[in-house]
Amino acid sequence: MSTDSAVSSRKAAQLRTVRWYHQPRWRRLGAMAALALLMTLVTGEQGTHRDLFYATKENLTGPELWIWLALGVAVWAGREFLTPQTAAAWRRSREVAGGPVAKVRGLLQSDQRLRWLMLLGFLALAAFLPLAFERYWQTVLVDQIAIYLLLAIGLNVVIGWAGMLDLGFIAFFAIGAYSAAFWTGALPVAPPVQLNNFLVIPVAVLTCLVAGVLLGAPTLRLRGDYLAIVTLGFHEIVYLLAKNLNNFTGGTSGVKVERFHLDLGFWSYQWRLDPMPYYWLLLVILTVVVFLFLRLEHSKVGRAWTAIREDEVAAAATGVDTVRYKLMAFAIGASTSGVAGVAYASKTGYINSENFIVLFSILVLAYVIFGGMGSIPGVLFGAAFLVWLPEYLRDWVDPKDRYMYLGALLVIMMIYRPQGVLPSKRRQRELKMAEAGTGEADAMTGPAGGKLS
């Protein structure tokens, strides 16, 4: 009997034994090697009709594979073996800087005028620094970065605060853009009254609010993947309507939209091709939106969204009206897309249905996750950095491959820092609790491959 017990104990011990290749560290190495192989294939030689395996043979036997593998292993080794030293250096630097930072924080908290002066200085820097940029980068700053910042802030309400996965967010952007085209008289169908572009903004916001409620009402009982599929379907409905209703939207041929103009009787101004006036206008809009959303985050509504994201059943049990607040999340998040749509249409002066494909919804979602869901500074950084990166690579990387590099960066981020670059403290705490098995987190529960050793 004792022999049988010993054998059983030995077998049980073998079952509990974790092989070296099952350990999280080596699983992450395997993930980085697979990523290196994928990047070699997608950024290397292109295939031909004569030889289906030409690209594979060229890529796997050339130096590109070893370059990508070296980069992947370098990232893995640095993150795995230098993390304690980096963390210790970071702690020492924080201890050294702790005294001066505490003094500055105390001054700011005690002197309101100093806070306002610092804020005005930051706004002045943001307003006039782009004057030193080249014309190309000024255009990128307006046409892409500023627009995506507005979209990311709105999507952060739905995903980061309320915890609802939305893959069709760009549909509200399309609604805002076509609202600008309709109310300024650019569409084949004449509006009941023609409005100035600035007056279209509140109309577009109201339209997107209604559209957000219409989307949210039938989906209140859905979560996770099911909600994502429904929102994706909503986007496809809007996109196909914009594409096929040629007599109303102009279809793929598109329509010309009037640019911003202002006429006060005694003074008038017309926005033309110079991107800087548009930038200053969008900077004012962004400042107002960020201020309002920061106030909203710490209000009763923001706390209700947080409760719904963490545990909707518990929130409902404690008296939170989940139906009302989920509808508010959809509506308020969509409102910023309405503003962005009007600004985009009025800046470019031309829109068509292909400006609103589903890829842009995926990109906005990636920006929010990369920056840090639930964190307005993180979302702003994520959107600005990831919009800037493909444009920065334009001189060295083929246009078809730029988003491949963006994808590789996102994969590395998901492996080693799923909470994002600048996450909210609450979100960080949720992920740590989920990783330890003491809490829930709907989106991502920890680094791929397990906890970093």
Side-chain angles (χ1 to χ4, degrees):
M1 193 70 178
S2 61
T3 304
D4 293 339
S5 300
V7 172
S8 299
S9 300
R10 233 180 358 256
K11 289 182 178 179
Q14 289 176 354
L15 290 174
R16 289 194 298 267
T17 301
V18 179
R19 304 294 182 183
W20 67 269
Y21 49 82
H22 286 157
Q23 295 177 3
R25 172 173 291 170
W26 304 110
R27 289 169 61 185
R28 287 192 288 269
L29 176 60
M32 294 302 296
L35 177 62
L37 177 62
L38 178 63
M39 292 301 295
T40 303
L41 294 175
V42 299
T43 62
E45 293 289 337
Q46 302 297 317
T48 64
H49 295 291
R50 298 176 184 176
D51 186 355
L52 296 178
F53 299 99
Y54 169 77
T56 303
K57 290 185 292 187
E58 291 294 322
N59 292 329
L60 296 184
T61 57
E64 291 83 3
L65 174 62
W66 301 107
I67 293 173
W68 280 111
L69 280 174
L71 287 173
V73 172
V75 171
W76 170 81
R79 188 64 178 86
E80 297 291 341
F81 300 108
L82 298 181
T83 297
Q85 294 86 337
T86 305
W90 176 248
R91 282 195 299 269
R92 287 195 296 269
S93 62
R94 290 185 64 180
E95 290 173 359
V96 171
V101 170
K103 290 181 181 178
V104 172
R105 186 182 292 116
L107 286 174
L108 291 176
Q109 291 176 349
S110 61
D111 193 341
Q112 186 177 6
R113 291 176 298 178
L114 187 59
R115 289 202 303 271
W116 281 106
L117 185 62
M118 191 172 181
L119 178 61
L120 290 175
F122 175 77
L123 291 176
L125 180 66
F128 297 108
L129 182 62
L131 291 173
F133 297 168
E134 298 177 0
R135 178 68 174 265
Y136 174 81
W137 286 110
Q138 291 177 350
T139 303
V140 169
L141 188 62
V142 174
D143 291 358
Q144 299 185 50
I145 294 179
I147 297 297
Y148 274 110
L149 288 179
L150 280 171
L151 293 173
I153 291 173
L155 185 59
N156 183 56
V157 173
V158 181
I159 292 183
W161 290 349
M164 298 182 292
L165 183 56
D166 188 348
L167 294 182
F169 194 72
I170 212 70
F172 301 111
F173 181 49
I175 291 172
Y178 279 105
S179 295
F182 175 72
W183 290 104
T184 57
L187 294 183
V189 178
V193 58
Q194 192 165 327
L195 301 177
N196 182 283
N197 300 63
F198 287 101
L199 296 178
V200 174
I201 291 178
V203 177
V205 168
L206 182 61
T207 305
C208 288
L209 284 171
V210 173
V213 172
L214 292 177
L215 171 62
T219 61
L220 292 177
R221 295 182 179 273
L222 301 178
R223 300 181 189 175
D225 300 339
Y226 301 99
L227 179 60
I229 292 171
V230 171
T231 56
L232 186 60
F234 174 74
H235 167 270
E236 288 304 301
I237 292 172
V238 174
Y239 168 71
L240 291 174
L241 287 176
K243 184 177 182 179
N244 296 321
L245 295 180
N246 295 319
N247 295 330
F248 185 82
T249 64
T252 55
S253 299
V255 292
K256 293 183 179 180
V257 183
E258 288 188 14
R259 300 183 185 275
F260 282 112
H261 63 278
L262 196 61
D263 188 359
L264 301 178
F266 60 90
W267 179 80
S268 62
Y269 183 78
Q270 175 75 41
W271 276 257
R272 300 187 184 278
L273 296 178
D274 186 5
M276 288 310 298
Y278 295 98
Y279 170 73
W280 288 321
L281 175 61
L282 287 171
L283 181 62
V284 172
I285 294 174
L286 274 168
T287 302
V288 173
V289 169
V290 169
F291 172 77
L292 293 177
F293 277 39
L294 284 173
R295 301 287 294 177
L296 185 64
E297 180 183 9
H298 302 290
S299 67
K300 176 185 176 182
V301 176
R303 293 194 297 271
W305 286 337
T306 300
I308 292 171
R309 185 188 72 238
E310 292 180 351
D311 193 327
E312 185 175 345
V313 175
T318 55
V320 176
D321 188 346
T322 57
V323 173
R324 175 189 174 193
Y325 286 110
K326 287 171 73 173
L327 284 176
M328 288 178 64
F330 271 114
I332 294 174
S335 65
T336 61
S337 291
V339 179
V342 174
Y344 177 78
S346 302
K347 165 61 177 68
T348 59
Y350 170 83
I351 58 170
N352 67 6
S353 59
E354 301 310 304
N355 295 131
F356 312 105
I357 58 177
V358 71
L359 171 64
F360 299 140
S361 288
I362 306 302
L363 286 177
V364 178
L365 175 62
Y367 300 157
V368 172
I369 294 175
F370 179 85
M373 292 190 298
S375 168
I376 289 182
V379 166
L380 293 175
F381 171 80
F385 179 77
L386 292 186
V387 173
W388 165 84
L389 183 61
E391 296 300 324
Y392 179 76
L393 295 174
R394 76 187 194 280
D395 293 332
W396 301 283
V397 180
D398 189 286
K400 298 188 295 296
D401 294 338
R402 291 179 194 169
Y403 288 108
M404 300 298 180
Y405 291 85
L406 184 63
L409 180 62
L410 290 172
V411 170
I412 295 172
M413 174 64 70
M414 291 301 99
I415 292 174
Y416 288 110
R417 193 173 175 83
Q419 68 269 33
V421 179
L422 299 172
S424 65
K425 293 182 179 179
R426 186 187 298 273
R427 185 63 182 166
Q428 278 185 303
R429 185 167 62 251
E430 288 176 9
L431 287 171
K432 289 180 180 178
M433 292 174 64
E435 186 181 335
T438 59
E440 294 184 2
D442 292 336
M444 297 161 293
T445 57
K451 185 177 179 180
L452 295 178
S453 54

